[in-house]
Amino acid sequence: MKGALSPGIPPVANHFANRILQSGPGYIETALRNRGQRVACIVAALICFFLSVAFNAFEWLSGTPWHAAVNFSYQLVVIAGFILVWFLLSYYLKQQPIGPLKTLWTTLLLALVTAAAILLMVGITAAENVEGNPAVLGFEYDTGVPLTFATVVKMHVITSLRALLAFYLLLRFQDLVLFKRTKQSQRNWYLMLISMGIFSLLFVLQDPAEDPGIVQYIALTLVIILMLLNAFRVSWIVFLSFRAKAAGVGFSILLILLLFASLSSGGILPAHFMYIRHASYPLDQFTLAALTFGLLYCVTSFLFLIFHLPTTGDFRRKAGEITAMYSLTNLVNQAFDPDKLHLTITKTPVDTGTAQMSWLAIADERSGSLRPQVVAAWKTTTEDVETMVDVAALYEELAARREPVVLDEAPTDRRIRGKPGDPIGTMLMTPLITRDKLLGGLFVAKDVVQGFEQDDVESISVYAAQAAIALDNARLFEEQLERERLSRELDIAREVQQRLLPHDLPKMQGLAVAASSIPAYEVGGDYYDFLELDEARLAFIIADVSGKGTSAAFYMAELQGIFRSTTRMAPSPADFLEQANLALSSALERHVFVSVIYGVIDVRKGELTLARAGHCPAILISREGTERLIRPQGLGLGLDRGRRFRDVLEEEHISLQPGDIITVYTDGVVESRNNQGTEYGYERLLEALKVHRKKEASALHEALLADLHDYLGRTEYDDDMTLVVLKWDGAKNHTKRSAT
């Protein structure tokens, strides 16, 4: 929430973080784009480095430590030099963004190289014949003054190596922590950096031999709290493939081991802490905190990678398909109302959480002018849009490039006329193109810089393509004949319907499956699907949406989304139908309902559990030819939106015997009429099942269709026709590669 305080964080720190978010590092990085200023920063950092070396060299020559005022000046020089190094490294790393896996392995590689270099430096000859551990490392036991020039060199080289590793780790892990960033997450990240800086500054005049005080422990507690808040920002893991997650597990383990061994007092680098603390105690504390955060973040990443290993790319693809389907449904249904269509196109990216504000600009061809007009806006007004941005200039670039354009730091763009506090930090501009014609542009924005990831750009691009089709359809509705309009709508819907039906049938031990669905017109409202709940259980569904045409097909699309997303969460068929009724009721029109049969077959137990919502009864035929109509009670989805739906819903459990055949179908099978107007009927279907019951599932399925065609005298149907056959033999593994 904008302006909300982070839990446990003082208001002053929140205010400081907010100021950084509004004006912060972006302006410094903008200044570093100038080559001369980068060179000046590099020179200044080198000067600070050599001054600090010279300070310790003079201390070595004199044999006595500097007094407090000079030592304070020395610490300021060291800190200033490494602050310059931080911003320079930040600038160069931002020029070469990398993915999560590359972040992990490059950090691992740099940590290995740094550890090897530090081990080599520590091995350089130290002072001899002096008692005490510090002296063995090259420092006077009581004062800490370097005893050799080699010690001075080692102090600053080892300090620089560990500082570079810590800076690289923080800057690279920042991209992981701020993946799918929000203002709150960005604030928490900068608060952690601020608290780490303040904590380290508390050691400016601290003697490394002295114990920390109460103020330092309080600051350390704050640092740890903020580390924990940021360590659980691992949403990037969800979007990795299985192979990438497995590789991430390996890199995380290696990083955990290396960082733990490096930080441990008895680890692989036990002596290097002494050199860093004598060079700069504040820098030692900052790098120690940074590497500790790296270790903590690697541990949480490892755990989340392990938990998310079972997930696959289907998550991303299915989520995108369902979102696009719902959006497409709304757009097509509203195509006759241009104002409503424009508003729907504009608000959907905000309502789905991809953006925080949006607007739609379209060239007004009817007026004879190609100047774009803002026809709709969401979470802002069209007047504010005209004030905040140069719409014509942005649209001109979009028309020239004809591809998505991302302004990662929108406030620095000359076409953005916003004032401090305006909600435009990042902007994504997407062209609406159809038939190679630019219809307009969809503009979405967030109030933080670099707010859009690559998957956001891809999802908005897919959505924009559908929106462009909807806009084009709307224009065709106004300009062309009704027949042309209807033909295009049906083509789109038929393609959608074909994608929703399963292309591969399940393969389960002891169960054979065959299925087909044929619409009466170009699109229909019949639907069937399968989902393997685990190795032993298969869920199946068959449904019939009342009505025909595109509206029935799109309700079918909604049912498919519910089946795919809800099945594993519903413990029983009755629970699934209850949840489906709740989800569909708000979307269905009053005169529309959906009849459904939903069942689960447990191949390990040989058991069928089935529930019915106003659908045709399922048929069970035994190997001996015994018939049974399975018709548990239940209302069609959408007929009752209250408690009565569940009250009348029944569930039936059936123990299967080898050779049992379960047949489910839509009313298009039994209600099909021949040329004399006589229905095919249940009796003929039962007779055909008995005659062909000993055949395999695929052959039985084909025999049923052949019998139906012979009876009708044709292969066309008056109603949508869907037929699913499941044959249980309890032993053999029957498979069929594809459905028709």
Side-chain angles (χ1 to χ4, degrees), residues 637-651:
L637 304 185
L639 289 178
D640 180 80
R641 309 185 184 203
R643 185 64 191 171
R644 186 167 179 266
F645 178 88
R646 183 57 192 254
D647 291 340
V648 301
L649 192 61
E650 294 181 351
E651 197 175 83

Side-chain angles (χ1 to χ4, degrees), residues 4-297:
L5 296 179
S6 298
I9 309 302
V12 173
N14 265 287
H15 176 72
F16 192 15
N18 282 328
R19 296 299 298 171
I20 287 180
L21 293 181
Q22 294 172 8
S23 58
Y27 290 99
I28 296 175
E29 290 162 6
T30 302
L32 288 176
R33 292 173 186 170
N34 183 286
R35 186 173 181 271
Q37 292 175 334
R38 289 200 303 275
V39 172
C41 284
I42 293 172
V43 171
L46 290 173
I47 290 173
C48 291
F49 176 82
F50 287 115
L51 282 175
S52 60
V53 173
F55 175 94
N56 290 119
F58 281 122
E59 196 176 46
W60 159 61
L61 291 172
S62 66
T64 57
W66 295 99
H67 57 78
V70 178
N71 184 57
F72 180 78
S73 300
Y74 161 77
Q75 295 290 353
L76 292 182
V77 170
V78 173
I79 293 170
F82 280 99
I83 287 175
L84 290 173
V85 171
W86 169 276
F87 284 114
L88 285 167
L89 186 60
S90 175
Y91 172 80
Y92 285 113
L93 292 182
K94 278 197 174 182
Q95 307 311 305
Q96 298 178 337
I98 58 178
L101 283 187
K102 194 170 183 180
T103 293
L104 293 177
W105 75 255
T106 54
T107 305
L108 174 63
L109 180 62
L110 182 59
L112 286 170
V113 172
T114 301
I118 290 176
L119 283 173
L120 180 64
M121 291 300 300
V122 173
I124 296 175
T125 303
E128 298 178 353
N129 303 321
V130 182
E131 294 183 0
N133 192 44
V136 173
L137 296 174
F139 299 97
E140 205 281 327
Y141 188 83
D142 293 323
T143 64
V145 173
L147 296 177
T148 66
F149 185 73
T151 302
V152 174
V153 174
K154 284 193 288 184
M155 284 169 57
H156 291 280
V157 173
I158 292 174
T159 299
S160 299
L161 287 172
R162 196 170 86 164
L164 286 174
L165 172 61
F167 291 175
Y168 182 89
L169 184 147
L170 283 176
L171 290 169
R172 282 305 190 198
F173 279 28
Q174 172 179 297
D175 294 333
L176 302 182
V177 173
L178 297 184
F179 183 84
K180 293 287 186 184
R181 70 180 67 189
T182 63
K183 215 161 190 177
Q184 183 68 38
S185 65
Q186 190 166 294
R187 182 186 294 117
N188 287 341
W189 174 256
Y190 285 120
L191 280 171
M192 187 187 76
L193 296 183
I194 293 167
S195 65
M196 289 168 61
I198 294 174
F199 170 71
S200 62
L201 289 175
L202 294 176
F203 291 85
V204 168
L205 298 178
Q206 177 88 18
D207 188 337
E210 297 177 359
D211 292 329
I214 184 64
V215 175
Q216 290 152 327
Y217 278 118
I218 293 173
L220 178 60
T221 303
L222 179 62
V223 171
I224 293 173
I225 291 173
L226 289 165
M227 282 184 180
L228 291 172
L229 285 175
N230 285 283
F232 288 92
R233 289 279 305 171
V234 290
S235 57
W236 51 272
I237 290 175
V238 178
F239 300 91
L240 296 180
S241 65
F242 182 88
R243 181 179 297 179
K245 289 174 183 173
V249 169
F251 292 141
S252 298
I253 292 174
L254 294 176
L255 262 174
I256 291 169
L257 295 175
L258 184 57
L259 289 174
F260 182 80
S262 300
L263 292 169
S264 174
S265 59
I268 60 176
L269 303 173
H272 80 293
F273 291 100
M274 186 68 70
Y275 292 101
I276 302 172
R277 286 173 183 172
H278 279 80
S280 175
Y281 200 21
L283 187 61
D284 170 67
Q285 294 302 304
F286 183 88
T287 56
L288 183 63
L291 296 180
T292 302
F293 172 75
L295 175 61
L296 181 60
Y297 193 79

Side-chain angles (χ1 to χ4, degrees), residues 308-552:
H308 283 82
L309 268 178
T311 65
T312 64
D314 288 341
F315 166 81
R316 181 178 174 184
R317 179 167 51 83
K318 282 296 180 186
E321 287 179 1
I322 293 172
T323 301
M325 185 59 60
Y326 277 105
S327 299
L328 179 59
T329 302
N330 291 331
L331 296 179
V332 171
N333 288 339
Q334 297 167 13
F336 284 106
D337 187 347
D339 293 336
K340 195 172 183 180
L341 174 62
H342 295 160
L343 184 59
T344 301
I345 292 173
T346 306
K347 66 184 291 191
T348 299
V350 178
D351 291 346
T352 57
T354 306
Q356 291 170 315
M357 61 182 295
S358 59
W359 63 89
L360 178 67
I362 296 178
D364 188 9
E365 296 180 344
R366 289 176 294 185
S367 64
S369 171
L370 296 180
R371 180 177 176 82
Q373 291 186 345
V374 179
V375 296
W378 191 246
K379 297 302 179 182
T380 185
T381 64
T382 56
E383 293 78 14
D384 287 341
V385 171
E386 297 283 356
T387 303
M388 290 187 294
V389 302
D390 187 343
V391 177
L394 293 173
Y395 192 91
E396 183 178 354
E397 180 180 1
L398 202 60
R401 297 178 61 172
R402 301 174 74 86
E403 64 181 13
V405 178
V406 182
L407 303 180
D408 278 327
E409 296 181 359
T412 63
D413 193 291
R414 58 179 177 79
R415 296 164 297 184
I416 307 301
R417 301 190 287 248
K419 303 179 292 296
D422 281 348
I424 301 181
T426 312
M427 181 183 295
L428 169 59
M429 309 183 295
T430 311
L432 303 178
I433 300 174
T434 183
R435 295 183 297 167
D436 203 33
K437 182 179 180 181
L438 179 67
L439 303 181
L442 179 62
F443 300 78
V444 297
K446 281 189 173 182
D447 59 5
V448 294
V449 297
Q450 299 178 346
F452 293 111
E453 305 293 343
Q454 183 59 35
D455 65 299
D456 293 325
V457 177
E458 293 173 358
S459 63
I460 290 292
S461 298
V462 171
Y463 174 75
Q466 299 292 342
I469 293 174
L471 284 174
D472 190 46
N473 282 344
R475 294 190 179 191
L476 289 175
F477 293 150
E478 297 175 354
E479 300 171 359
Q480 298 180 9
L481 299 175
E482 179 69 13
R483 183 180 298 176
E484 294 175 321
R485 177 197 65 79
L486 184 59
S487 175
R488 183 173 181 81
E489 183 185 80
L490 293 176
D491 286 343
I492 296 173
R494 185 175 188 274
E495 181 182 353
V496 170
Q497 182 191 29
Q498 291 302 313
R499 290 182 180 180
L500 293 174
L501 294 177
H503 295 282
D504 295 295
L505 293 178
K507 302 175 182 179
M508 301 286 285
Q509 183 70 30
L511 182 68
V513 181
S516 65
S517 182
I518 304 173
Y521 304 98
E522 290 189 26
V523 290
D526 281 9
Y527 168 67
Y528 74 92
D529 207 351
F530 306 92
L531 186 65
E532 294 183 17
L533 302 180
D534 51 44
E535 295 179 355
R537 295 185 302 149
L538 174 70
F540 63 91
I541 187 173
I542 186 167
D544 185 1
V545 181
S546 62
K548 301 293 177 290
T550 56
S551 60

